[in-house]
Amino acid sequence: MTDQEIVERCLSGDRDAYALLVERYGGRVYNVALRITNDADAAADCAQEAFIRAYRSLHRYDPALPFAPWLLRIVTNASLNHVQRWHAHESPVEELPDRAAPDDLGPEPSTVRREEVGEVLAAMAELVPAYRAALALRHLQQLSYQEIADALDIPLGTVKTHLHRARAALLKRLAARRKEIS
Amino acid sequence: MDARPPHIDPDELAVDRLLAAVPRVPAPLGFRDAVMRRIARRHAPLYEWAFAAALAVPSLAFLGWELALGGLDFAVAVENLFVAATGTGDQAFFFVDGLVVLAAALLGAAGLVGTHAIVTEGAAAA
């Protein structure tokens, strides 16, 4: 069943059909929230809030467009709003999951890789929230520039600038961290 | 869904490779059920509010009407009650209409239902 068919069922009163969308996109939505808020509890709250807001706004969703970017836009806004309100509350998140997501099942990551990933995420966490959001949407969720522009409600040129600066800042922080370690 | 962006610019490649190694964290256990519970909860207060209103409005109207008609008797009854409660008198006389008691009881029930609706709405919004 396509996303649009599920949305149609929801709009016709079949509330339970929405569970399919929550199951289908729960992981992606949670991961975007997690990378922006950098806090597991906050991410769960923002992800839940995003799904509830999306449910209440389903009548505004244009079925001609893909559902995922529309949903990711909502969770991005919810997460950025959360960070704006509670930025002082940010605390490092446990970056590597105890259990893998279904699509991560495969060879066990080596210790070296886990350390590298930890460094990347720590460096990413030091970026400003808007940069984290842009990086997460582009490189973790594979959105296009235009979809990111829509999600963040900023012009396309600003997205490119954000991403360029975010990448530069990330690499710089990463180099600094590695230098500190070595 | 897992494919890399089709047109990665050369200056994106380094960061894209780095972030490609970041594992996806699964949503918390029970995430879907929690969302669905919150969605379902939002509909409950509508019925509860309607029920509370159906109980409260006629009761309030009746009590208001009673008060308008026999306000003086009511004031005397309340005064007698206070006199009896403070113990300065050895007897107290007051008359309570059964319908007034019923209206007050219905108003109390409406208050309980309304409170429950508020609590449910608050929990769903939290």
Side-chain angles (χ1 to χ4, degrees):
Chain A
M1 192 183 296
T2 65
D3 295 345
Q4 285 73 15
E5 285 168 345
I6 295 172
V7 169
E8 202 173 315
R9 278 179 57 178
C10 292
L11 290 174
S12 62
D14 183 3
R15 192 197 308 154
D16 293 339
Y18 194 65
L20 293 172
L21 288 175
V22 179
E23 195 159 321
R24 195 173 286 177
Y25 293 108
R28 290 184 71 178
V29 166
Y30 175 71
N31 275 269
V32 168
L34 182 63
R35 294 302 154 223
I36 296 173
T37 61
N38 202 36
D39 180 302
D41 291 333
D45 288 344
C46 290
Q48 277 193 25
E49 191 57 38
F51 274 111
I52 288 161
R53 280 189 207 173
Y55 181 79
R56 283 188 284 163
S57 309
L58 278 181
H59 60 281
R60 288 202 293 251
Y61 165 65
D62 179 1
L65 301 172
F67 184 75
W70 182 76
L71 183 60
L72 293 177
R73 172 186 187 156
I74 295 173
V75 71
T76 302
N77 284 333
S79 305
L80 287 173
N81 286 340
H82 174 88
V83 171
Q84 273 178 347
R85 272 178 295 164
W86 299 102
H87 60 94
H89 180 64
E90 281 185 56
S91 58
V93 65
E94 189 181 341
E95 298 295 354
L96 298 177
D98 294 331
R99 58 201 168 91
D103 49 0
D104 287 328
L105 294 174
E108 187 67 24
S110 68
T111 308
V112 175
R113 187 186 163 207
R114 286 174 68 91
E115 283 173 1
E116 279 180 352
V117 168
E119 282 175 24
V120 170
L121 290 174
M124 191 173 168
E126 291 172 6
L127 301 177
V128 295
Y131 287 2
R132 292 204 297 264
L135 282 178
L137 293 174
R138 176 66 175 163
H139 296 286
L140 300 178
Q141 299 300 326
Q142 294 91 45
L143 294 196
S144 68
Y145 286 130
Q146 187 57 56
E147 287 169 336
I148 297 169
D150 292 340
L152 297 176
D153 201 20
I154 54 178
L156 191 61
T158 309
V159 169
K160 291 180 179 174
T161 307
H162 269 25
L163 277 169
H164 179 74
R165 290 179 181 165
R167 282 191 291 265
L170 182 70
L171 292 173
K172 190 178 170 184
R173 279 173 170 75
L174 206 51
R177 292 180 76 87
R178 282 175 179 167
K179 198 173 175 182
E180 277 176 24
I181 291 168
S182 63
Chain B
M1 193 179 282
D2 290 329
R4 309 311 302 166
H7 303 295
I8 289 287
D9 296 334
D11 64 334
E12 288 185 302
L13 269 178
V15 169
D16 195 66
R17 281 180 187 147
L18 279 174
L19 294 179
V22 173
R24 287 186 187 174
V25 182
L29 290 174
F31 178 79
R32 187 196 65 177
D33 292 340
V35 171
M36 295 311 293
R37 264 200 308 274
R38 286 180 64 180
I39 286 172
R41 268 188 212 153
R42 288 186 181 277
H43 294 277
L46 291 176
Y47 299 102
E48 291 187 11
W49 282 120
F51 186 60
L55 289 178
V57 171
S59 303
L60 277 172
F62 177 73
L63 287 173
W65 180 68
E66 276 286 306
L67 202 61
L69 279 184
L72 194 60
D73 294 342
F74 181 72
V76 170
V78 171
E79 192 182 335
N80 285 344
L81 267 176
F82 275 106
V83 168
T86 52
T88 53
D90 58 353
Q91 61 177 357
F93 173 77
F94 56 89
F95 174 76
V96 180
D97 185 352
L99 282 175
V100 171
V101 174
L102 184 64
L106 288 177
L107 197 59
L112 283 176
V113 175
T115 304
H116 184 262
I118 290 171
V119 170
T120 307
E121 206 167 335

